[in-house]
C-alpha cells in the first residue's frame, strides 16, 4: 500500500537515507520544523512502514568478501513442491544477500558474497547445486561496481506529490 507523503516527509526521508544517525534536531532544522513535530513525523513514517529499518552499511571488501557473484537459477517446473524448500534454503544461506524471483527465462537471480573463488565454489557445490528443483545455474562474477545504492529516488516521488497537489488545486 502506498503511503501519502508531503514534501516535508520526503525531505526527512532524504536526510535519513543519507545518514540514519542524524539527530532529530538537525533534521528538524533542515526541513523547517521544530524538534517535536519532526520526531512525530519520523515516528509516523516508522509506524506506517515507510521506514522499515535503520541499519549500518558495511564495506564488504574491508571484511574480506572480495567476490560478488550474480547467480541465475532456472528451476524444474515438474517439481513445484521443491520451490518452498529452495526459498527456505536461500533465506537461510548467509552467502546470499539478495534473491529475486523473476519472470522470463531465469527463475531466480541471487547476489552472493564470498571471500574468493574457492569459497564461492564451496557454496555452489555444497549448497546451491544440491537443492531440489534446481535445473541450471549460471554464475557471473562482478569485476567492478559502477553504481550501488540503497537510496530510493525520492525526487521522483516529490515530483509526483507536486503533480497531485497541482491537480487538487484545480491547476
Amino acid at each position: 500500500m502506498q503511503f501519502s507523503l508531503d514534501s516535508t516527509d520526503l525531505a526527512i526521508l532524504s536526510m535519513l537515507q543519507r545518514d540514519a544517525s542524524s539527530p532529530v534536531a538537525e533534521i528538524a532544522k533542515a526541513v523547517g520544523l521544530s524538534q517535536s513535530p519532526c520526531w512525530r513525523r519520523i515516528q509516523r513514517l516508522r509506524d506506517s512502514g515507510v521506514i522499515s529499518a535503520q541499519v549500518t552499511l558495511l564495506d564488504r571488501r574491508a571484511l574480506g568478501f572480495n567476490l560478488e557473484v550474480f547467480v541465475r537459477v532456472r528451476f524444474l517446473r515438474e517439481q513445484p513442491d521443491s520451490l518452498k524448500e529452495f526459498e527456505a534454503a536461500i533465506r537461510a544461506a548467509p552467502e546470499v544477500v539478495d534473491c529475486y524471483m523473476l519472470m522470463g527465462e531465469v527463475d531466480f537471480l541471487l547476489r552472493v558474497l564470498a571471500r574468493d573463488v574457492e569459497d564461492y565454489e564451496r557454496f555452489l557445490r555444497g549448497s546451491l547445486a544440491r537443492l531440489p528443483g534446481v535445473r541450471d545455474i549460471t554464475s557471473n562474477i562482478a569485476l567492478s561496481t559502477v553504481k550501488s545504492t540503497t537510496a530510493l529516488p525520492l525526487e521522483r516521488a516529490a515530483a509526483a506529490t507536486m503533480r497531485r497537489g497541482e491537480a487538487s488545486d484545480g491547476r
Side-chain angles (χ1 to χ4, degrees), residues 104-165:
E105 291 181 21
V106 175
D107 298 305
F108 292 93
L109 177 65
L110 286 60
R111 185 167 67 99
V112 176
L113 298 183
R115 296 192 173 282
D116 51 35
V117 173
E118 291 80 17
D119 188 31
Y120 174 67
E121 184 178 6
R122 275 189 293 281
F123 167 72
L124 179 65
R125 289 178 182 265
S127 298
L128 188 58
R130 293 176 180 232
L131 293 176
V134 171
R135 181 174 96 191
D136 182 57
I137 299 170
T138 305
S139 303
N140 296 98
I141 295 174
L143 298 176
S144 64
T145 303
V146 175
K147 179 180 180 180
S148 177
T149 183
T150 59
L152 299 179
L154 293 178
E155 300 77 25
R156 297 185 73 184
T161 299
M162 296 284 289
R163 284 193 301 275
R164 280 195 306 271

